């Protein structure tokens, strides 16, 4: 901390980042740490070699911490509607909101491959819409791949042809919650399971490089994983998938309400955060914050000058 300016080392005061390589696009005189990103070919090559780890992020801190933890893939999922925006489902998230959050998360993803979800309504009306909106998430948001839900081989191949890597998503695709009649496990009947298996193959043929499988029986997760040449990432799809994903708010213990069966909570951050804010509030109310060492030192003579001014009115 600079005692004169109060600078916390996060910027120069004129908006320029002071951390070397923060943007990866260094300007003259600024040191740049090269970014060694996880690439799409590396992700594809992981199939059968090592398990992939994906977590969601909604902003710079969550993306930076996931990246620092060494995950392969950071997903700016439309689940941020619930995780960050207090909405009841994913359906109301807009393209502008997804771009905004993706841009923040991109600032934190120094190594992991950053994927952005295409929100409801951004790809359903036309293939042209799908390509335009995928390009926005990459161009404006800084994503390096996009994800879209459902069996949409036409959209996948058109986005791919525009140069944007695509992640497909099958099973319980939350944007179709009303069509499913609720958040229900998919692929339980043999006929539906075979349809999903066929769709997975078609999405691979259309050019998807990764496939998220959500809320399907483990046997179907295993069958699809064996049937396709691209890696599968499971969320409630059993242990045989090539990788796993959880929503960060769920795994960190920040989400309220009943959680899906597949969620494992690795921390209870809601308790930690609440206790910290309660302690701060108690200190403020008791006059125990700030202490002397948390104040900027008074310049010599200032107290006397101020006192004289007050006395003179
Ligand atoms: O939006 C999201 O977080 C997702 C994951 C559950 C895969 O799509």
């Amino acid at each position: 901390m600079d005692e004169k300016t109060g600078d916390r080392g996060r910027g120069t005061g004129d908006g320029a980042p002071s951390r070397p390589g923060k943007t990866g696009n260094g300007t003259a005189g600024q040191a740049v740490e090269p970014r060694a990103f996880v690439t799409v070919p590396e992700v594809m090559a992981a199939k059968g070699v090592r398990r992939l780890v994906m977590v969601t992020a909604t902003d710079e801190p969550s993306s930076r911490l996931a990246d620092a933890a060494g995950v392969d893939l950071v997903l700016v999922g439309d689940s941020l509607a619930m995780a960050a925006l207090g909405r009841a489902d994913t359906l109301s998230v807009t393209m502008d909101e997804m771009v905004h959050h993706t841009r923040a998360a991109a600032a934190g993803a120094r190594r992991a491959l950053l994927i952005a979800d295409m929100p409801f309504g951004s790809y359903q009306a036309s293939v042209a819409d799908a390509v335009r909106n995928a390009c926005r998430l990459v161009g404006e948001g800084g994503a390096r791949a996009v994800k879209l839900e459902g069996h949409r081989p036409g959209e996948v191949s058109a986005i791919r042809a525009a140069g944007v890597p695509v992640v497909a998503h099958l099973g319980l695709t939350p944007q179709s919650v009303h069509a499913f009649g609720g958040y229900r496990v998919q692929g339980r009947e043999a006929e539906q399971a075979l349809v999903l298996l066929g769709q997975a193959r078609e999405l691979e043929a259309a050019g998807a490089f990764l496939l998220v499988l959500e809320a399907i029986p483990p046997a179907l997760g295993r069958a699809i994983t064996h049937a396709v040449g691209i890696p599968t990432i499971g969320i409630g799809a059993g242990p045989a998938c090539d990788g796993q994903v959880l929503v960060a708010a769920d795994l960190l213990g920040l989400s309220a309400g009943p959680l899906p069966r597949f969620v494992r909570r690795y921390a209870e951050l809601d308790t930690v955060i609440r206790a910290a804010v309660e302690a701060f509030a108690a200190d403020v109310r008791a006059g125990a914050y700030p202490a002397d060492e948390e104040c900027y030192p008074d310049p010599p003579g200032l107290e006397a000058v101020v006192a004289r001014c007050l006395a003179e009115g």
Side-chain angles (χ1 to χ4, degrees):
M1 171 86 73
D2 184 310
E3 294 297 350
K4 292 203 185 79
T5 63
D7 179 19
R8 295 167 72 94
R10 296 173 70 91
T12 58
D14 59 2
S18 62
R19 272 189 283 175
K22 177 88 169 73
T23 63
N25 303 317
T27 48
Q30 204 182 344
V32 175
E33 242 173 59
R35 288 186 177 214
F37 282 124
V38 174
T39 65
V40 167
E42 278 165 18
V43 170
M44 296 179 80
K47 187 169 177 92
V49 177
R50 64 184 180 91
R51 290 198 177 89
L52 292 164
V53 182
M54 178 193 275
V55 293
T56 65
T58 56
D59 52 18
E60 192 273 343
S62 55
S63 173
R64 172 167 41 84
L65 292 170
D67 189 271
V71 304
D72 304 290
L73 307 143
V74 169
L75 170 68
V76 185
D78 60 359
S79 59
L80 67 82
M82 290 96 96
L85 304 178
R87 314 251 177 92
D89 55 41
T90 61
L91 298 173
S92 65
V93 172
T94 65
M95 265 305 295
D96 285 348
E97 287 170 331
M98 287 306 297
V99 168
H100 176 82
H101 284 271
T102 300
R103 200 163 167 195
R110 303 197 56 76
R111 183 187 154 275
L113 184 75
L114 188 82
I115 301 163
D117 247 347
M118 298 199 63
F120 181 62
S122 69
Y123 58 95
Q124 286 87 348
S126 71
V127 170
D129 264 7
V131 173
R132 189 177 314 109
N133 286 321
C135 290
R136 276 195 70 192
L137 289 167
V138 173
E140 295 174 44
R144 292 193 296 125
V146 299
K147 174 167 84 58
L148 50 82
E149 295 186 3
H151 181 237
R152 299 214 164 246
E155 287 78 359
V156 168
S157 78
I159 295 169
R160 185 72 203 89
V164 177
V166 187
V167 180
H169 183 167
L170 289 176
L172 170 50
T173 44
Q175 291 174 17
S176 302
V177 60
H178 298 313
F180 293 146
Y183 295 101
R184 298 175 193 287
V185 177
Q186 300 295 302
R188 289 170 59 84
E189 280 89 41
E191 196 184 331
Q192 198 198 19
L194 294 178
V195 168
L196 286 170
L197 196 58
Q199 292 178 346
R201 287 194 169 115
E202 285 172 26
L203 289 165
E204 176 184 13
F209 78 95
L210 193 66
L211 174 61
V212 169
L213 296 173
E214 180 163 356
I216 58 173
L220 181 55
R222 187 178 315 113
I224 294 177
T225 298
H226 288 156
V228 296
I230 55 175
T232 58
I233 302 286
I235 175 158
C241 296
D242 297 303
Q244 300 288 332
V245 56
L246 279 177
V247 173
D250 292 343
L251 86 86
L252 295 174
L254 285 169
S255 43
L259 295 169
R261 181 186 172 100
F262 54 75
V263 170
R264 187 182 293 179
R265 280 166 90 100
Y266 287 85
E268 298 295 340
L269 288 196
D270 51 0
T271 314
V272 174
I273 291 171
R274 187 177 163 165
V277 176
E278 282 172 355
F280 171 63
D283 280 354
V284 170
R285 289 180 185 129
Y289 176 86
D292 284 351
E293 62 274 19
E294 288 155 340
C295 298
Y296 302 110
D298 281 325
L302 180 67
E303 200 173 358
V305 172
V306 172
R308 202 165 48 243
C309 280
L310 279 177
E312 286 166 4

